[in-house]
Amino acid sequence: EPMQIEVVSAVGAGDSFLGGMVAAIAAGEPLEEAFRMGVAAASAAVMSPGTELCHEADVKRLLDEVKISEIAAVVS
């Protein structure tokens, strides 16, 4: 089931995604966990108005909701 968040502004979502991933990688987390952190940070950023980036409390709250699923590639 998709995460339910209220989008206020998309400004800073990409920067927050990258920042979350880099911070997790720098902390020694595996790539899958770094990706989850990036998604949580980007999701938290779109909940913030204007040019604000993500808030740590929102990232921590959303992190548990970020699920990674394997998808099968379709070759035609």
Side-chain angles (χ1 to χ4, degrees):
E1 181 173 315
M3 293 187 326
Q4 300 296 316
I5 58 173
E6 181 180 340
V7 176
V8 177
S9 171
V11 174
D15 292 336
S16 292
F17 176 85
L18 183 60
M21 274 201 76
V22 168
I25 290 169
E29 297 291 341
L31 189 56
E32 184 175 290
E33 186 62 23
F35 185 81
R36 287 182 65 243
M37 181 65 77
V39 171
S43 299
V46 300
M47 296 168 47
S48 302
T51 58
E52 287 186 31
L53 297 180
C54 59
H55 297 276
E56 183 178 6
D58 292 328
V59 174
K60 287 180 178 179
R61 179 177 59 81
L62 292 170
L63 187 58
D64 287 337
E65 296 183 45
V66 178
K67 307 293 183 222
I68 297 177
S69 301
E70 186 174 335
I71 58 173
V74 177
V75 180
S76 47

